[in-house]
Amino acid sequence: MSSVFEKIMSDRVKYSCNVKTLGECKLPSPVRHKKYVADGERVFATENETFARYAETRLGHLPTFEKAGPKERIFHDPSWTRVGIVTAGGLCPGLNTVIKGLVEILKFDYGVTNVYGIRYGYAGLNPKYGYEPKMLDPDAVDTIHEVGGTVLGSSRGQQPSDIMVDTLVRMNINVLFCIGGDGSLRCASDIAAEVARRNLNISVVGIPKTVDNDLMFVGRSFGFESAVAEAAEVIRNAHVEAKGTPHGIGLVKLMGRDSGFIAAAATIANPVVNFCLVPEVKFEMEGQCGLLAALERRFAAGKSHAVIVVAEGAGQELLEGAEERDASGNILKKDIGEFLKRRIAAHFKAKGLDSSVKYIDPSYIIRSCPARGTDAIRCYELARAAVHAAMAGRTDCVVGNVGESCSLVPIALATIERQKLDTDSQAWRSVLDATGQEFYFNGVARDIFAGDAFAP
């Protein structure tokens, strides 16, 4: 059973599904369309019926989150509201689309005009760095969604919560939007805690930014679909390169420190991949069930090439070296791509077999593209939900989506642990079907096109 639900039910107070609020909402909302989300409207915390029913038996009720959307009455007076927007952590497709959405919805729905873009992540809230905020209005953000990255800049690492709150007070900011992943959201929660300690009326609302799609209870993160689409194009190029030489091997390393969602989804999106390696599934290099033997079986079956996709966090147990961390405290993964490139090339050279390993690491290309299609729509919808939540005085929460609805999730729950690829899911089953890697790893090489199996 899910360890997440075990944690929630073992400490119901710490991991409550209820979002904190600054106080009673007394002001009439100026939102134009007048279709409001009623107090008490909830959405299920999970679409997984097994987990939901298990939680119900332990909690006595189905776990639900507050439904996001405009409220009939709000907490913050729009005419006195001053907003800060911060983007923290690594880049991700759609950051500018989210910023644009926040600014436009604040202006057009609530009439809020004082919006500050905080420069270079949380460092912009620490005066010692000297980063001046950037004034944002609909004209300033008009076309920023057309380019990748963030017009505000970003950085990793937290700053002292007391200093950041001092800055918010000095700037008279009463709404802070934090666009970031698990580490950045934990920092946002620390800010909210310091705000509460001082009894200040400042809403702190997060928008989940994790291209790895590894936050809990927020649904699919914005930027993920765009990253997968970009990765699928890289895989196409790796496939062309692999087919260009005898026993050619196209090796693509994709993002995914602890979760293999991008690698798995990109493999399904462009099913020319023969091996998909993810952190959730350990693999060996040597022996009859190792990757090297699996490649040999594929070539023995008459195939002239192979394509391997590996998530950056896969196979870390195979690599040597001391553990290091980045400024946000994340463990820096050792380079599995370079390791595989060297090891595979050396293996086939020792076998006297001509081979050519073409290694591609497109991480920065993938994460720096703009959001596209339905991904861009998700960015705008999350921005809209965040604005409505903040103006209604909600705080220490992050917006997410479950099914067709947006919801408000306590940051403590969203960051309770990293979301992992479920290897019993239909998604992973699709990966195994598309690649046929089970046949190669388990000692049988298959002819994918004819459907015949050959002994190695």
Side-chain angles (χ1 to χ4, degrees), residues 246-266:
H247 303 111
I249 298 170
L251 173 61
V252 180
K253 184 178 78 171
L254 297 176
M255 289 173 291
R257 290 180 303 185
D258 299 289
S259 308
F261 290 106
I262 289 181

Side-chain angles (χ1 to χ4, degrees), residues 17 28 73 78-79 163 195 208 225 297 312 362 366-367 383 385 393 416 421:
C17 292
R73 305 190 75 79
S79 61
I163 292 177
V195 165
E225 290 182 19
R297 292 186 187 101
E312 62 181 305
I366 288 172
R367 75 178 196 172
I416 189 172
L421 179 66

Side-chain angles (χ1 to χ4, degrees), residues 312-373:
E312 62 181 305
Q316 293 297 300
E317 64 279 359
L318 302 173
L319 307 177
E320 298 179 350
E323 181 181 289
E324 297 181 16
R325 293 179 181 269
D326 64 18
S328 296
N330 300 308
I331 296 175
L332 292 172
K333 301 300 182 182
K334 303 176 186 71
D335 198 335
I336 185 63
E338 285 289 349
F339 170 80
L340 291 178
K341 175 187 174 182
R342 293 193 303 268
R343 189 67 191 86
I344 292 170
H347 175 79
F348 284 107
K349 183 177 180 180
K351 291 275 185 176
L353 182 67
D354 286 337
S355 70
S356 176
V357 182
K358 302 296 176 63
Y359 173 47
I360 305 173
D361 179 359
S363 298
Y364 295 113
I365 296 172
I366 288 172
R367 75 178 196 172
S368 59
C369 69
R372 56 183 76 169

Side-chain angles (χ1 to χ4, degrees), residues 17-19 35-44 64-71 384-385 388-389 392 394 398-402 404-409:
C17 292
N18 296 321
V19 166
K35 186 176 182 180
Y36 301 112
V37 174
D39 291 336
E41 282 195 65
R42 313 279 292 185
V43 295
F44 291 123
T64 61
F65 293 129
E66 180 180 349
K67 186 175 182 179
K71 298 289 187 179
R384 179 175 178 271
H388 293 318
R394 303 308 191 258
V398 59
V399 295
N401 53 79
V402 179
E404 297 297 318
S405 299
C406 283
S407 59
L408 304 181
V409 182

Side-chain angles (χ1 to χ4, degrees), residues 33-178:
H33 47 73
K34 307 299 183 186
K35 186 176 182 180
Y36 301 112
V37 174
D39 291 336
E41 282 195 65
R42 313 279 292 185
V43 295
F44 291 123
T46 175
E47 291 183 309
N48 188 310
E49 183 179 0
T50 302
F51 289 169
R53 295 302 175 190
Y54 173 70
E56 183 181 30
T57 61
R58 299 287 298 275
L59 294 173
H61 60 84
L62 287 171
T64 61
F65 293 129
E66 180 180 349
K67 186 175 182 179
K71 298 289 187 179
E72 187 171 3
R73 305 190 75 79
I74 60 177
F75 181 84
H76 293 291
D77 185 341
S79 61
W80 290 94
T81 293
R82 293 164 69 93
V83 175
I85 301 174
V86 61
T87 53
L91 296 183
C92 175
L95 281 167
N96 282 335
T97 307
V98 173
I99 295 169
K100 175 182 171 72
L102 291 172
V103 173
E104 291 184 343
I105 295 158
L106 283 164
K107 168 63 176 177
F108 299 137
D109 265 1
Y110 291 96
V112 175
T113 57
N114 293 312
V115 182
Y116 297 91
I118 308 301
R119 306 292 303 280
Y120 301 112
Y122 290 114
L125 290 174
N126 189 337
K128 83 172 187 178
Y129 293 101
Y131 298 135
E132 293 186 9
K134 181 175 183 177
M135 293 302 299
L136 299 175
D137 59 30
D139 288 337
V141 300
D142 186 33
T143 59
I144 64 172
H145 63 288
E146 296 176 353
V147 296
T150 164
V151 293
L152 303 180
S154 187
S155 67
R156 294 190 183 276
Q158 298 191 12
Q159 300 296 323
S161 298
D162 58 337
I163 292 177
M164 290 191 287
V165 174
D166 286 344
T167 300
L168 297 179
V169 172
R170 187 167 56 253
M171 295 178 67
N172 291 320
I173 288 175
N174 60 332
V175 169
L176 179 66
F177 294 108
C178 303

Side-chain angles (χ1 to χ4, degrees), residues 235 238-239 242-243 248-252 263 266-268 270-277 291 294-295 297-299 303-310 428 431-441 446-449:
I235 291 171
H239 186 229
K243 292 176 68 176
I249 298 170
L251 173 61
V252 180
T267 294
I268 300 170
N270 192 353
V272 296
V273 179
N274 308 114
F275 300 92
C276 178
L277 309 176
L291 178 61
L295 283 167
R297 292 186 187 101
R298 177 169 170 80
F299 292 144
K303 300 300 181 183
S304 63
H305 69 283
V307 176
I308 303 171
V309 166
V310 59
W428 184 245
V431 169
L432 298 180
D433 288 341
T435 60
Q437 64 192 56
E438 285 180 302
F439 292 86
Y440 298 125
F441 275 120
R446 74 171 190 178
D447 185 319
I448 297 174
F449 301 104

